[in-house]
Amino acid sequence: MRKALVAFLLFVALAVLRLVVQGTVSSTVTTEECHTGGMAQEFLAHGFALPFGAYTPEVYENGIVLQGIAAAAFFASIGPSVLTLRVLALLVSWIGLLLTWSLAKRTGNTLGIDTDRAQWSLLAVCLLMTGLAPGLLGWHSTYALGGHNEGKVLTLALLWLFALRIESPTAARRAGLWLCLGLFAFAHKGTLMVGAIAGIYELVAVARRNTRPRQLLIEAAAFGIGAIPLVLRSSGSQMRDWQFVASKFQMPLSQIPRHAWNLLCMTYDNNLLLLAIIALALGWVLRAGWQRRAALPIALVGYVLLNWLVAAPTRSPSYRLYSYPVAIALVSVALTHALGWAAQRGKLPAWSQPLLAALVTLVILMPRPEWSPRTIAELANNREMAVCTWRFGRAFLSHWNFDDAVALQKCRTLEGDAALGCIAGLSRELAQMNQPRLPPDSLNAKEVSAWAFGLGLTGGHPLGTRCSFLPDTTERATCDGAFRLDCLAGLDPPLRILHQTALPRPACDLRDPPYGGFYRGLREHLLQRATAADRPEVRSVFATLGIGDDYPCIESLRACGYLPTEASGAPSS
């Protein structure tokens, strides 16, 4: 009963930190995240009627289907809205917090940090570092698209199973760990880094004669059984998922050190104090674990370093998310040890240690709270932006071997606005493949408008001739309107995440999308905001973004009043 109460209070505390204290970041919705709501809406309307691959816009995104199924249950119980997606992401983060705390306690126990007040100190650090995670780390933890947040929790679950295997190396626990390693790799390939750590541990155990070699064969067989879904999916896609993974590491070696450091700093919101504390904690835990011959602390440090090493040549900061909860656990252990020593020397009461741990953590994090008590109501009322289906067009085209006629036929099975959004996504994907097409003759008037709208959804890439080659002036206007709206959709999230400010109301015309969903909801929300003239601080933020004349959306930003109209006045890149 006590554990259930603590878990519930942790959920409430995490919800307050995420949805209220950091409300500006939590209210960020992207053009991809709404696909989770699109899947949920489709599952509720037609069930699991399509092949598995038809729900995944990318062949490596298997985990998003699981998130879509979960979102369907939430939509059915509390209704579709952005708040529903946030609650779903919050639940995933809450599970991650419980696993992080458990890893911290197990690591502390192996290092002799096992008093009652130490447990509460560990909890205070884990809660605050999770709920007030800096910038991009915090945003990815509120993201309801199955992917990095989900992969982070799967990684923590595997490390927790690994900890159980170390504590009690029974045959069942060993086989269970490797079975889950194979299964979880299907949902997210980033979990294979845990497999590398576990594999090294098993080889060391064999070398020290703590494990019989034949046990490795049993573990390999368990992994092979668990990996069957991954093998079937990869072979069915001609290994395109692994080709995508390989493409992430194509960076010249000379650029990697500086790039990795810059991206690490950006991921941690340039909080050098936090990075220094993490480095010190890794060093202390590694030293303490080595002195006690404790495998778990050494393995967790090894995982953080492996994650940083693997992520170094990649251009996305999101891959650093997987090691952050593990770093939280190690920092909480090191900080609790240091504060326990200080409390003992200063003869402080027992209740002071958790309080000191919380205060020191706040000093380290240096959070920039955006107290937004209206956020929850706004998210609950925001229904349009919770759903989009344009990524179905991408998924259908990929799943049915890039046969656009078949993909178009499948889009029509979604019905209503969902079908129109899917057709827009199909048009967008063909254009992204440098194959922009005129609307097919088989389309009706609404579908033609959706097709033209999709041509303008470039994701910030150069527009080129996507709109100009359309012969009909109405279709060109629809395409141009989509491009402008898509530019603003891509700019709003980084302003919220990195600068804690929302994009102000544009001083330009925003064409109404030809179907409901995310883009229509975005337009309505932009038109309800305060103008840039009422918020002078926004112009100074834009001046720091380094937007130059070669930026694809530069003309849209000028037309909407975010940048000076004259070319000479624009910031150079």
Side-chain angles (χ1 to χ4, degrees):
M1 184 64 183
R2 181 188 177 191
K3 291 183 178 179
L5 178 60
V6 170
F8 172 74
L9 292 177
L10 276 178
F11 183 83
V12 173
L14 189 61
V16 171
L17 291 174
R18 285 276 171 79
L19 300 179
V20 180
V21 178
Q22 290 194 317
T24 302
V25 173
S26 295
S27 58
T28 304
V29 188
T30 70
T31 58
E32 291 190 347
E33 183 182 12
C34 52
H35 181 65
T36 301
M39 285 190 294
Q41 181 176 266
E42 175 60 19
F43 289 143
L44 293 176
H46 302 107
F48 208 102
L50 299 169
F52 183 91
Y55 297 102
T56 58
E58 306 288 356
V59 292
Y60 58 86
E61 290 183 321
N62 301 318
I64 69 173
V65 180
L66 304 177
Q67 197 90 315
I69 294 173
F74 278 73
F75 273 28
S77 57
I78 59 179
S81 69
V82 175
L83 180 62
T84 305
L85 296 181
R86 288 291 162 270
V87 172
L88 173 59
L90 190 66
L91 180 63
V92 174
S93 293
W94 173 66
I95 295 172
L97 172 59
L98 294 178
L99 290 170
T100 301
W101 185 30
S102 178
L103 284 176
K105 289 192 294 183
R106 292 176 185 279
T107 304
N109 288 340
T110 63
L111 300 179
I113 306 171
D114 52 4
T115 62
D116 287 340
R117 62 180 178 181
Q119 307 305 313
W120 292 110
S121 296
L122 294 173
L123 177 58
V125 177
C126 289
L127 172 62
L128 290 174
M129 291 190 71
T130 300
L132 299 176
L136 291 168
L137 294 170
W139 173 62
H140 276 296
S141 298
T142 66
Y143 205 40
L145 179 69
H148 299 302
N149 190 34
E150 179 186 71
K152 172 197 72 177
V153 174
L154 293 178
T155 295
L156 288 170
L158 288 173
L159 288 172
W160 183 74
L161 291 174
F162 178 60
L164 294 182
R165 179 258 178 271
I166 292 176
E167 293 173 3
S168 180
T170 63
R173 287 189 172 182
R174 290 176 174 179
L177 169 63
W178 286 94
L179 179 69
C180 289
L181 277 166
L183 284 172
F184 290 4
F186 172 74
H188 204 288
K189 293 178 176 59
T191 57
L192 289 174
M193 285 185 287
V194 180
I197 297 297
I200 293 173
Y201 178 84
E202 296 295 352
L203 292 176
V204 171
V206 170
R208 291 182 173 179
R209 298 183 180 180
N210 295 329
T211 298
R212 295 180 180 180
R214 69 179 182 182
Q215 183 63 39
L216 296 182
L217 297 178
I218 298 175
E219 293 168 355
F223 178 80
I225 294 173
I228 289 175
L230 174 62
V231 172
L232 294 176
R233 178 76 166 131
S234 297
S235 59
S237 65
Q238 292 78 49
M239 306 298 288
R240 278 185 288 139
D241 50 348
W242 292 105
Q243 292 171 16
F244 173 83
V245 172
S247 70
K248 292 291 185 180
F249 299 93
Q250 297 176 359
M251 179 182 291
L253 290 176
S254 60
Q255 298 179 12
I256 291 177
R258 183 175 181 180
H259 169 81
W261 171 248
N262 290 339
L263 207 56
L264 188 65
C265 289
M266 184 179 73
T267 304
Y268 282 84
D269 207 13
N270 292 308
N271 189 337
L272 298 183
L273 176 60
L274 175 57
L275 285 172
I277 293 297
I278 291 176
L280 290 173
L282 294 180
W284 182 83
V285 171
L286 181 62
R287 179 175 176 273
W290 188 266
Q291 290 176 339
R292 289 175 174 263
R293 295 294 187 266
L296 181 60
I298 296 173
L300 293 181
V301 172
Y303 174 79
V304 174
L305 297 178
L306 177 63
N307 173 259
W308 287 1
L309 178 65
V310 171
T314 64
R315 299 186 184 277
S316 173
S318 54
Y319 299 113
R320 280 81 178 166
L321 177 66
Y322 304 103
S323 61
Y324 181 65
V326 184
I328 290 175
L330 299 179
V331 168
S332 68
V333 171
L335 193 58
T336 297
H337 169 75
L339 292 176
W341 176 85
Q344 186 177 12
R345 290 290 298 270
K347 298 181 180 180
L348 299 177
W351 56 265
S352 65
Q353 185 174 337
L355 179 61
L356 284 174
L359 292 175
V360 172
T361 302
L362 289 174
V363 172
I364 294 171
L365 290 174
M366 293 184 291
R368 294 176 293 176
E370 289 292 323
W371 186 264
S372 182
R374 295 182 302 172
T375 296
I376 295 178
E378 291 173 354
L379 295 180
N381 294 327
N382 189 350
R383 296 176 177 269
E384 289 269 21
M385 293 180 69
V387 176
C388 66
T389 54
W390 70 266
R391 296 192 86 204
F392 274 106
R394 182 185 183 96
F396 291 172
L397 193 64
S398 174
H399 183 73
W400 278 287
N401 299 317
F402 300 95
D403 187 330
D404 53 299
V406 174
L408 176 59
Q409 179 184 0
K410 297 297 181 181
C411 280
R412 285 170 168 160
T413 64
L414 301 183
E415 303 173 353
D417 281 350
L420 295 178
C422 179
I423 290 172
L426 174 59
S427 172
R428 176 193 184 276
E429 183 62 15
L430 289 170
Q432 293 288 78
M433 296 166 56
N434 294 319
Q435 300 176 26
R437 311 268 181 89
L438 291 172
D441 295 336
S442 61
L443 300 184
N444 59 39
K446 289 184 178 180
E447 292 172 340
V448 167
S449 294
W451 187 279
F453 188 83
L455 284 172
L457 302 179
T458 68
H461 296 292
L463 186 58
T465 58
R466 291 189 185 183
C467 295
S468 60
F469 85 106
L470 291 170
D472 185 84
T473 56
T474 302
E475 294 172 14
R476 285 200 301 273
T478 300
C479 181
D480 289 333
F483 177 73
R484 175 175 291 180
L485 197 55
D486 202 36
C487 284
L488 303 187
L491 198 58
D492 196 36
L495 285 177
R496 290 175 177 270
I497 298 163
L498 300 177
H499 300 281
Q500 287 75 48
T501 184
L503 194 67
R505 175 174 176 162
C508 59
D509 178 60
L510 294 180
R511 193 176 183 88
D512 188 31
Y515 55 88
F518 175 85
Y519 285 100
R520 181 170 289 173
L522 174 64
R523 176 181 179 272
E524 293 174 356
H525 275 262
L526 286 173
L527 294 179
Q528 293 171 3
R529 296 177 184 176
T531 64
D534 299 328
R535 297 172 57 198
E537 78 281 358
V538 177
R539 278 192 179 269
S540 63
V541 169
F542 271 96
T544 67
L545 295 180
I547 297 176
D549 291 340
D550 58 344
Y551 182 56
C553 295
I554 187 70
E555 292 304 325
S556 293
L557 297 184
R558 289 172 178 163
C560 294
Y562 300 124
L563 292 175
T565 55
E566 64 276 6
S568 60
S572 59
S573 59

